Amino acid sequence: MSVYIQPSVILVDKFKKMRFFRNESETEEVMSESSTPSTPTSPAPEPYEIKTITNADSDALLGHLRKFFFKDEPLNVAVQLIEYENSTCPELERYSLKSIKEGTSLMAVTNTNHVIGVCLNGTITSTISNEAETEEDDCENVKFSKVRSFLNYCGKEGTKAIAQRYPDVEKIMFVKIISTDTAWRGKGIAKELMDRTRKIGRERGYGLIRVDCSSYFSARAVARLGFECVYELKYKDYIENGQPIFQTEHPHLSFTVYVQKM
């Protein structure tokens, strides 16, 4: 396969000014990787806690992601990775579970054991962007292989951009996936998950927190939380045989990498 990257790949050279949400609802509205933003709603209707995800939570975690993340993520939608309501992608699910072993991934759970939000985190360095790009095994799922190859490429380019901007930072907290139950969006769940992730990063000596955004809404959210965009690739410029590989839905026009100093 010959993939051509047009020269409009953007390495962002200017620091973005901090912008803050007017309230928690606006933050939550765009924090989850979905095709459309949610409508801000009332405060949380029942108590919940933020807990570290363990292997014992795998089934509950996947249940949440299947319902609220996998089917709406822009790249998955573009390649029709999840073809119908109850279909699954084992390769994507295995990829999602890999972060659990590090003990830094979080989930929000109600008193009735309902998972209302998740934040999958991992550790990367200035020379390795994420574990996806180190996987060299053949993938039989052609659709997932396209997504993974794209993430590998952007992961490496994002790492180069970070190394140029922050040459002294070695240890980075990587937010792989953040997702919220549709019924709980607008209630501050995603913001609290991000705040707790940042706290873990500081306690463990990470220099940066990094978020790779395939969604317009997630990119807008982290920008408003004070994150700096260091890399952007427009989907129309990732081309195979003269045609863009990903025909994403509006307003998802590009893949971006955001970072914030701890």
Side-chain angles (χ1 to χ4, degrees):
M1 177 182 72
S2 177
V3 177
Y4 171 65
I5 311 300
Q6 290 206 1
S8 56
V9 174
I10 301 171
L11 176 61
V12 179
D13 293 319
K14 291 185 178 180
F15 283 83
K16 295 185 180 293
K17 293 181 180 180
M18 278 194 177
R19 299 167 60 202
F20 297 92
F21 288 95
R22 293 186 295 274
N23 52 53
E24 281 191 348
S25 293
E26 189 180 349
T27 304
E28 188 74 22
E29 177 185 340
V30 295
M31 199 65 189
S32 186
E33 290 259 17
S34 60
S35 296
T36 56
S38 61
T39 302
T41 55
S42 59
E46 63 176 300
Y48 66 90
E49 65 170 334
I50 304 294
K51 56 172 284 189
T52 301
I53 299 175
T54 67
N55 287 330
D57 301 310
S58 296
D59 289 343
L61 169 63
L62 289 177
H64 171 91
L65 293 176
R66 288 167 185 159
K67 188 173 183 179
F68 301 110
F69 182 82
F70 292 155
K71 64 186 180 66
D72 292 329
E73 192 279 324
L75 294 175
N76 294 348
V77 172
V79 299
Q80 297 182 323
L81 188 62
I82 308 299
E83 297 181 302
Y84 49 90
E85 184 66 26
N86 296 319
S87 64
T88 62
C89 176
E91 296 87 354
L92 177 59
E93 295 187 355
R94 287 195 296 270
Y95 169 78
S96 301
L97 291 175
K98 285 186 175 181
S99 293
I100 294 178
K101 61 185 178 183
E102 292 194 35
T104 57
S105 295
L106 304 169
M107 66 196 315
V109 187
T110 67
N111 289 351
T112 55
N113 292 321
H114 174 55
V115 178
I116 57 176
V118 302
C119 188
L120 300 186
N121 305 314
T123 301
I124 57 178
T125 70
S126 59
T127 56
I128 301 177
S129 62
N130 59 59
E131 76 263 15
E133 70 184 50
T134 65
E135 296 177 354
E136 301 296 338
D137 59 299
D138 293 331
C139 179
E140 296 182 359
N141 188 322
V142 176
K143 294 178 180 179
F144 180 71
S145 182
K146 287 183 178 181
V147 173
R148 190 178 68 174
S149 294
F150 178 79
L151 296 178
N152 290 350
Y153 176 83
C154 291
K156 292 174 182 177
E157 294 302 308
T159 293
K160 292 176 185 177
I162 294 170
Q164 291 176 10
R165 182 66 58 82
Y166 300 101
D168 297 330
V169 173
E170 292 292 335
K171 192 177 180 182
I172 302 169
M173 176 72 80
F174 174 45
V175 179
K176 180 190 296 185
I177 290 174
I178 185 162
S179 172
T180 308
D181 184 322
T182 305
W184 283 76
R185 291 174 189 169
K187 298 175 173 58
I189 307 302
K191 182 178 184 299
E192 187 170 352
L193 287 167
M194 285 293 289
D195 288 345
R196 189 71 64 88
T197 294
R198 188 180 295 106
K199 181 175 183 293
I200 292 172
R202 288 182 179 137
E203 291 173 346
R204 300 193 181 191
Y206 290 80
L208 288 172
I209 182 170
R210 167 179 175 167
V211 185
D212 289 8
C213 302
S214 60
S215 159
Y216 165 81
F217 300 118
S218 59
R220 188 175 71 174
V222 294
R224 287 176 171 174
L225 289 175
F227 281 71
E228 169 199 359
C229 182
V230 296
Y231 174 79
E232 179 179 8
L233 172 60
K234 295 184 183 302
Y235 292 126
K236 69 181 179 64
D237 295 329
Y238 190 72
I239 292 173
E240 179 184 1
N241 299 324
Q243 296 295 325
I245 295 177
F246 300 104
Q247 297 282 355
T248 52
E249 297 178 354
H250 184 79
H252 311 295
L253 303 179
S254 62
F255 183 95
T256 49
V257 176
Y258 281 81
V259 297
Q260 186 178 66
K261 291 275 285 186
M262 287 293 186

